Amino acid sequence: MHSTVTLKEHDESRQGEAFTAFATSLQPHKKSFYIESYGCAMNFADSEVVASILNVNGFGAVKEPEFADLILINTCSIREKAEATVRKRLTEFRKIKKQRPGLIVGVLGCMAERLKGVFIEEEKLVDIVVGPDAYRSLPGLIEEASGGQKGVNVLLSRDETYADIAPVRLNSNAVTAFVSIMRGCNNMCSFCVVPFTRGRERSRPPASIVAECEALFADGFKEVTLLGQNVDSYHWMAPVLSGNQENTIVTFAGLMERVAQISPLLRVRFSTSHPKDITDDVLLIIKKYDNICNYIHLPVQSGSSRVLQLMNRTYSREWYLKKVDRIREIIPDCGLSTDMITGFCTETEEDHQASLSLFEYCKFDLAYLYYYSERPGTLAARRFEDDIPLAIKKRRLQELVDLYRQHSLRTMQKEVGKTFRVLAEGFSKKSDDFLQGRNDQNKVVIFAKENFVKGDYVNIKITHCTAGTLFGDAVQTF
Ligand code: SAM
Ligand code: SF4
Ligand code: F3S
């Protein structure tokens, strides 16, 4: 997907699609690179860091792999299917390399980290393999690969946050941008490969985050999405410089407040929240600032406390439901989305019914639904048998999808007649006579272009809807 639509985290629909890098070069470049990204928003944000590192080392981005001296593929390992997509894409790059033997092909990201040197053995065309914490070593590895030396750097770091690197915005709509606030994850959910591919959790210094957001706003951007695998555990302690100084601790709530104060015209979003960590402080900051969007992505993974325990999520169904109640108490109109996995090890029909009933209760605005895919090396792969047949995993998934669709249509219908402040992000996919944007709750809204341009905030009165989109007309006031 390379449209102007904001890329949603781990949207399954994106997994087979390429995010094609085309950065506007600031100066003439001696060489060219092409990059494709798969997986979550953090991977997409990383590709922008990679583009920046390459830019200062004489590489400019091109839109087509056929014209590049260097092809990079930034990969995802979250499910087997994500890895299969990358392997398939590599076979296409093989054809280009056959015609141009000097071409360098590099694999970046989570799959690089998981498979390490094995990648070079398995995929003969790959010249370099670089893990998520080793992008600063890319120029050196490319240099060596030009001399015929294949290279691997998959060292994970305890402190790398790329805080000093100004990302080059790839394929940007010039309105919305991702900003990484932390890296890694310490949670060890039993199904998940991320702690192994991204390493230990670490928070980026708040000053560099605020500076990046200020620079984006000065460049005309109107929305930032603060990114981390678990933003609620963002934690920064300023170094104590003298004996009588107190420690200054910045939490996620404090960080959001600093970003929100940049300007009321800069919208703030964030992802992902963890049910065990989200605090009232965060909810109260969302409520306090109009420019912090009323939208929370709160992955639940299962509606059964027994399965949640096996997943090592460290909360129960009841805990999750209480969090949802609390969100709706403090921010009554909050948009809420989730992730759910069907067919995790030992999941019974009763557990599955518990997932369906949790959906009934929560009535999510958006849901990312997956069937369980065993990942080598994870706690679940080591401890439990992947014992639910694929057909049952898929049937349960379909039941959740059907229920979610019923809910989403009904929730959207309730919005008809209301007026929302929409940030225009670009033309609608179907026609340049219409603009597309999102409201505070992250719902997509389409309206007639008239004299509006992307980057405008427009009050839209909703006239009709589908299960996924609201349509409306511009009005003067609410
Ligand atoms: N950090 C987020 C959290 O704690 O919920 C999730 C990040 S993960 C990149 C995105 C989603 O992929 C997860 O929420 C989960 O639903 C799904 N996922 C992760 N591992 C999976 C697996 N082995 N099989 C199926 N889905 C998986
Ligand atoms: Fe994976 Fe759990 Fe970390 Fe999310 S919180 S990235 S699901 S280990
Ligand atoms: Fe993201 Fe996939 Fe890695 S979801 S953190 S790119 S495994």
Side-chain angles (χ1 to χ4, degrees), residues 189 191 298-303 307-308 311 313 315 338-342 347 355 370:
C189 300
F191 52 80
L298 196 68
V300 60
Q301 314 298 1
S302 170
V307 174
L308 286 170
M311 287 176 160
R313 288 290 286 182
Y315 55 84
T338 200
D339 294 349
M340 180 82 98
I341 298 175
T342 64
E347 187 189 67
S355 292
Y370 313 100

Side-chain angles (χ1 to χ4, degrees), residues 231-443:
V231 288
D232 300 298
S233 62
Y234 178 88
H235 181 93
W236 174 259
M237 195 156 64
V240 177
L241 300 174
S242 73
N244 51 14
Q245 236 185 352
E246 298 235 334
N247 280 339
T248 313
I249 290 174
V250 181
T251 61
F252 181 55
L255 177 73
M256 272 216 292
E257 179 151 42
R258 289 191 193 189
V259 177
Q261 284 171 347
I262 292 173
S263 164
L265 291 178
L266 181 68
R267 263 187 177 183
V268 185
R269 295 188 188 274
F270 55 92
S271 187
T272 301
S273 303
H274 198 297
K276 82 172 159 61
D277 293 320
I278 191 167
T279 58
D280 275 8
D281 282 356
V282 167
L283 302 181
L284 292 168
I285 287 291
I286 300 173
K287 187 184 167 76
K288 181 173 168 191
Y289 288 90
D290 278 349
N291 58 328
I292 302 182
C293 290
N294 292 348
Y295 170 68
I296 299 176
H297 182 58
L298 196 68
V300 60
Q301 314 298 1
S302 170
S304 151
S305 294
R306 189 189 71 83
V307 174
L308 286 170
Q309 196 171 8
L310 292 181
M311 287 176 160
N312 200 26
R313 288 290 286 182
T314 67
Y315 55 84
S316 63
R317 171 192 176 91
E318 292 69 33
W319 171 281
Y320 185 88
L321 295 179
K322 271 197 195 134
K323 284 288 173 192
V324 170
D325 289 346
R326 189 74 180 136
I327 290 169
R328 291 189 167 146
E329 189 184 324
I330 297 180
I331 316 162
D333 63 341
C334 194
L336 191 65
S337 63
T338 200
D339 294 349
M340 180 82 98
I341 298 175
T342 64
F344 185 66
C345 315
T346 79
E347 187 189 67
T348 61
E349 279 307 314
E350 199 184 338
D351 294 320
H352 172 57
Q353 288 303 322
S355 292
L356 289 166
S357 74
L358 184 134
F359 260 56
E360 276 297 355
Y361 184 89
C362 298
K363 306 231 168 18
F364 296 107
D365 296 290
L366 206 61
Y368 300 94
L369 308 171
Y370 313 100
Y371 63 80
Y372 175 58
S373 164
E374 186 180 77
R375 307 312 294 129
T378 54
L379 290 180
R382 282 184 272 144
R383 284 189 195 156
F384 314 125
E385 193 191 336
D386 180 12
D387 58 350
I388 308 300
L390 185 60
I392 294 183
K393 288 179 181 175
K394 286 189 173 173
R395 193 255 299 151
R396 290 179 185 167
L397 178 66
Q398 192 55 49
E399 285 175 12
L400 267 176
V401 169
D402 293 343
L403 184 63
Y404 158 65
R405 287 215 177 114
Q406 284 172 27
H407 292 160
S408 59
L409 182 60
R410 265 183 251 141
T411 349
M412 294 297 257
Q413 283 165 340
K414 282 192 195 143
E415 309 295 38
V416 174
K418 293 186 191 165
T419 301
F420 295 108
R421 192 169 187 241
V422 175
L423 173 61
E425 293 174 19
F427 293 121
S428 95
K429 279 181 211 146
K430 290 194 181 148
S431 161
D432 286 0
D433 294 334
F434 290 85
L435 289 174
Q436 174 171 312
R438 281 169 303 145
N439 70 2
D440 205 359
Q441 289 79 12
N442 207 28
K443 293 189 174 119

Side-chain angles (χ1 to χ4, degrees), residues 14-69:
R14 275 176 40 198
Q15 294 227 329
E17 292 176 89
F19 174 81
T20 307
F22 185 62
T24 355
S25 304
L26 302 174
Q27 66 228 359
H29 294 283
K30 283 183 253 139
K31 292 202 163 182
S32 60
F33 76 97
Y34 168 86
I35 188 165
E36 271 183 21
S37 304
Y38 295 83
C40 65
M42 272 147 277
N43 237 22
F44 286 69
D46 277 4
S47 290
E48 300 187 332
V49 166
V50 167
S52 178
I53 292 171
L54 292 177
N55 252 204
V56 293
N57 282 278
F59 282 84
V62 289
K63 267 183 170 177
E64 306 293 340
E66 287 76 13
F67 303 122
D69 302 302

